[in-house]
Amino acid sequence: MNFWVMQGLNGLAFGSLLFILAAGFSLIFGLMRIANLAHGAFFMLGAYVGLSAIDNGVNFWIAILAGGLTVCILGGLMERLILRRLAGKPLAQVLVTLGIAFIIADGCLWLWSGDPRPLPMPSDLQGVFRFAGLVFPKYRLFVVVVAFCLAGALWLLLEKSRIGAMIRAGVDDMEMARVMGIRTSLLFPLVFCLGSALAGAGGVLAGPILSVYPSMDTDMLPMALVVVILGGVGSLGGAFVGALLIGFIYSYGQALVPDLAYVILFLPMVLVLTIRPTGLFGRRLV
């Protein structure tokens, strides 16, 4: 019984990390219809920036802000200087974001070398939590709490605020939203910056669990894409449910049948899309 519970907790922690990464991607693609393939590279860059900040004496919490802010600025510049010029050209956007991902990956390799490095966790979250004979790291429970709080905050932003109403209006009918006076030219870059900041901050949060290494982006981005596709493109609730499902599937798959872990990971996505092409909670894009 302890084995099943422990793997479930591991899956919950990993799914929480996936949600932090996938939430930003889902926001950007759901509103702007931009498949930002540099999102995984943003995740890795945020982790490296946070690692450098900690190496220079900054505490862990400021390092999270540094990673998120750095990637937020980079995302804003990329949207303003490159992606805005490619509006309405999805293939060009995919190719240019893929190219930027390669540039960021090579830049990280050049600046920080190719050696994996652990990112130190705060002293307050070191150690384990004991309950009913179970032992589980405090930091992983902290990541779960952060993911649930983030899901609640994003839900309040999108569903209960004026800005959220404008975002949803832009998603449903961009031209009508512009006629109603909603400044989508300002709103969309803010959403892109928010999604990028989530990726950067998520990289710092993931560092103590995954370590920081050069192929971090290519390991995490495919899983984030699976989460978004499984949950439904543009659906925050779908990204949350999809992330937890993938976290559980990956955790149990690695423990029970490690040779077939990726088969078990991608098979649910294939089955769901066969039955429901828009994903669990997604709507057909127009």
Side-chain angles (χ1 to χ4, degrees), residues 5-141:
V5 174
M6 288 298 296
Q7 291 303 321
L9 290 174
N10 284 329
L12 183 62
F14 187 67
S16 298
L17 284 179
L18 284 179
F19 171 71
I20 296 172
L21 174 61
F25 186 93
S26 182
L27 282 174
I28 292 171
F29 189 71
L31 177 61
M32 305 176 69
R33 305 293 191 261
I34 296 176
N36 180 21
L37 296 188
H39 203 72
F42 286 174
F43 183 80
M44 180 179 66
L45 179 60
Y48 273 117
V49 170
L51 178 63
S52 294
I54 291 174
D55 287 344
N56 285 280
V58 175
N59 68 47
F60 182 79
W61 312 111
I62 301 300
I64 293 176
L65 294 177
L69 182 60
T70 300
V71 177
C72 175
I73 294 172
L74 178 61
L77 291 174
M78 187 177 82
E79 192 279 334
R80 178 64 181 87
L81 300 177
I82 300 175
L83 294 178
R84 189 172 298 187
R85 300 172 185 272
L86 301 175
K89 301 176 181 178
L91 181 57
Q93 292 171 345
V94 168
L95 290 175
V96 77
T97 56
L98 182 61
I100 291 172
F102 288 143
I103 293 171
I104 293 174
D106 283 350
C108 290
L109 183 62
W110 177 57
L111 290 172
W112 288 283
S113 79
D115 297 326
R117 295 186 57 190
L119 196 152
M121 67 180 66
S123 57
D124 295 342
L125 297 175
Q126 294 177 359
V128 296
F129 179 78
R130 301 177 185 273
F131 179 76
L134 296 174
V135 178
F136 197 71
K138 292 180 181 179
Y139 185 79
R140 297 196 176 203
L141 291 177

Side-chain angles (χ1 to χ4, degrees), residues 3-4 7 249-261 264:
F3 167 80
W4 295 102
Q7 291 303 321
I249 291 170
Y250 187 74
S251 178
Y252 284 115
Q254 287 279 30
L256 298 174
V257 282
D259 292 339
L260 298 177
I264 296 174

